[in-house]
Amino acid sequence: MGAGKHETYTLTVSIPLLLTLVDAGVRLGSTTVLRNLSLELAQGEVLGIEGPNGAGKSTLLRVCATLLPLDIGSGTVFDADLGSPGAQSVRPEIGLLAHQPALYDELTLRENLSFYARLLGCRQGRVDELLEGVGLSAAADRRADQTSQGMLRRVDLARLLLMEPRLLLLDEPHAGLDSAAEKLIAAVVADVIAREGAAIIVAHDTSRLADVTTRRLRLERGGLT
Amino acid sequence: MTFWKAAAVIMRKDLTVEGRSGEVLWITIPFGLIALFLIPLALPLDNPLLQRIAGPMYWVILLLFGMTIALRQSATGTTPQREALRMLGVDAAARFTGRVLATTLLSLAFALVLAPATVVLFDANLPSGWPLLIPIVMAVTLGLGIVGTVAAELTRGLRTRTALAPLLVAPLAAPLLVAAAQATESLSRGDSILLPALIIAFTVLGLAVIGVLTAGPLEETQ
């Protein structure tokens, strides 16, 4: 290289896509719930999707979680075709926080987490660590049906952390949570991003998510706007 | 996680939930005993018919109330609970097996309570080879557990579930009922119970194969 000469180098950084949807649509009975939906979610992204009730937000999350098949269009999650039964094999990589907690009323908070930990083959010490992490060590032996909605939400978040997912799907995560617990959501999302993952958070109002999300979209009547 | 380990975790959870909700202990077992108690009331106390119908009545009550145990609400779980389990990647057949085992143990407990009650209420004489009925009771409760769990899956989310599920269970459980009643009758006559025992064994085996094979597809059907 001669003195005074400048050479230009192009550095191409390819960020893996964890999720793609191309003209995707879902019908439930005779109703089209999602239509012409195209979406890409890259590693490290936190996508906020807002929309009114009935816009199809929860359905979209269930499609991304491979719980609901696509009726129209195509898509992939962790390179697995969303239209094929093989997509189910990536489920352990996906953490879905549904609108209602996936906990058993008759079990204590610790027993609920221990149940999922056993199925995942996690050590029981991890359960206590997570309960402490979500600030529920003192209430760990309280039955789920004797616990507030906000506390159940925290335990459900701890359940997701047990799974160590790389794709986080949160459905109205702020429902029933106080401002202190909102920081917990940010911490959970940060944990997933640190593991080279991505997240989608849906809410009817994502203004509360401004600090967490890297991109925001609006879903209305089953289509992105 | 191995198949049986996952099934054991599910079974343990189902039994803990049942132990605390008391659906079987406080509702099904007392109602089953009341049903059993009502039959002798309808007949004169010294009627020899009572002793003759003791065996068949035991099996009928076990079938009807065993069905309620299999179809109990807590065994099905809520949609978020079911979806959370699906997301874990645990074999659907293992989860099905865990549920069946829990239901079988609960039905077995019901069968054990029902047996002495039948002997007392119907003034029944135990046949000499009555210990042979123990494996029959175990197999019948297992069969009921499988049929009930499959029926609960098939009717999940339907508004007509309460009426439809028993309609599905009854015909599938009929061979178990008939063979079990025949086995009891054969024992009282001192005959061999090989044929009814084989009918029960093959029915349970067939149901188990169907249950395990359909667990995954049924779970994915919304």
Side-chain angles (χ1 to χ4, degrees):
Chain A
M1 195 188 299
K5 277 192 176 179
H6 295 280
E7 289 191 22
T8 308
Y9 294 94
T10 307
L11 181 67
T12 309
V13 180
S14 158
I15 302 173
L17 290 175
L18 302 191
L19 176 81
T20 62
L21 290 174
V22 182
D23 293 328
V26 172
R27 289 195 199 99
L28 292 178
S30 57
T31 314
T32 304
V33 185
L34 296 176
R35 69 190 85 217
N36 303 327
L37 217 139
S38 293
L39 183 72
E40 285 186 344
L41 184 74
Q43 188 182 297
E45 262 196 299
V46 182
L47 174 64
I49 298 180
E50 64 179 359
N53 293 335
K57 303 187 296 293
S58 300
T59 307
L60 173 62
L61 287 193
R62 295 181 73 235
V63 167
C64 298
T66 77
L67 290 171
L68 207 59
L70 283 177
D71 293 312
I72 312 156
S74 60
T76 61
V77 58
F78 293 110
D79 293 327
D81 185 355
L82 275 172
S84 77
Q88 293 165 16
S89 63
V90 301
R91 282 180 182 168
E93 298 267 358
I94 305 169
L96 171 69
L97 184 83
H99 210 55
Q100 296 292 323
L103 304 174
Y104 297 87
D105 282 352
E106 294 83 358
L107 302 185
T108 65
L109 303 184
R110 181 181 278 115
E111 286 169 337
N112 266 295
L113 271 191
S114 295
F115 166 63
Y116 287 109
R118 279 194 199 98
L119 287 174
L120 287 164
C122 295
R123 58 188 175 84
Q124 289 302 300
R126 180 81 179 125
V127 171
D128 293 325
E129 283 169 21
L130 286 172
L131 281 168
E132 198 180 330
V134 296
L136 288 174
S137 287
D141 295 319
R142 205 184 286 176
R143 266 173 62 151
D145 58 1
Q146 292 160 7
T147 310
S148 75
Q149 204 59 30
M151 286 165 113
L152 294 179
R153 205 74 173 151
R154 285 175 185 232
V155 181
D156 225 16
L157 280 166
R159 178 182 61 81
L160 292 189
L161 290 173
L162 262 181
M163 294 174 67
E164 299 188 346
R166 284 187 57 221
L167 175 60
L168 194 62
L169 306 169
L170 305 178
D171 193 351
E172 303 278 2
H174 293 86
L177 288 184
D178 54 26
S179 56
E182 283 186 17
K183 287 180 188 153
L184 189 65
I185 293 169
V188 170
V189 171
D191 183 74
V192 171
I193 300 301
R195 270 185 277 110
E196 300 184 333
I200 299 179
I201 307 175
V202 304
H204 60 269
D205 172 18
T206 54
S207 59
R208 293 168 82 181
L209 304 168
D211 296 340
V212 187
T213 52
T214 54
R215 184 160 60 109
R216 279 195 273 171
L217 294 171
R218 185 166 175 79
L219 190 69
E220 240 172 296
R221 276 176 277 167
L224 287 171
T225 55
Chain B
M1 165 148 297
T2 63
F3 180 95
W4 288 107
K5 219 172 172 181
V9 173
I10 298 285
M11 181 189 76
R12 190 175 148 182
K13 183 268 294 170
D14 276 8
L15 290 176
T16 311
V17 167
E18 169 50 39
R20 292 186 190 159
S21 70
E23 218 175 322
V24 173
L25 184 67
W26 299 114
I27 300 169
T28 313
I29 292 181
F31 264 109
L33 291 173
I34 288 170
L36 197 70
F37 179 69
L38 287 176
I39 300 159
L41 283 184
L43 293 165
L45 277 176
D46 57 345
N47 196 325
L49 185 65
L50 260 183
Q51 285 185 340
R52 281 193 56 204
I53 62 168
M57 277 304 143
Y58 172 79
W59 293 112
V60 168
I61 300 286
L62 182 59
L63 172 85
L64 291 176
F65 287 86
M67 204 153 65
T68 350
I69 293 172
L71 298 171
R72 70 195 187 282
Q73 198 58 44
S74 60
T76 321
T78 64
T79 303
Q81 287 164 356
R82 299 173 58 81
E83 289 187 344
L85 289 175
R86 284 166 71 191
M87 294 305 293
L88 294 183
V90 180
D91 188 351
R95 279 180 274 141
F96 169 83
T97 306
R99 282 176 59 193
V100 168
L101 290 176
T103 300
T104 303
L105 284 178
L106 293 169
S107 302
L108 206 53
F110 176 60
L112 289 177
V113 173
L114 206 60
T118 310
V119 171
V120 171
L121 291 170
F122 289 75
D123 193 22
N125 297 317
L126 278 174
S128 57
W130 68 267
L132 287 173
L133 286 175
I134 295 171
I136 299 278
V137 171
M138 290 168 80
V140 168
T141 51
L142 177 61
L144 276 177
I146 297 168
V147 174
T149 307
V150 172
E153 277 299 300
L154 281 169
T155 55
R156 176 170 38 90
L158 297 178
R159 266 184 292 179
T160 49
R161 180 179 188 266
T162 325
L164 194 59
L167 284 178
L168 286 171
V169 174
L172 288 170
L176 295 173
L177 172 75
V178 172
Q182 270 181 5
T184 318
E185 186 66 24
S186 298
L187 266 186
S188 358
R189 286 199 310 260
D191 294 345
S192 162
I193 61 161
L194 184 64
L195 184 65
L198 282 175
I199 292 173
I200 292 170
F202 282 111
T203 307
V204 171
L205 191 67
L207 290 171
V209 171
I210 292 168
V212 166
L213 291 180
T214 56
L218 274 179
E219 196 178 60
E220 293 303 320
T221 313
Q222 294 301 303

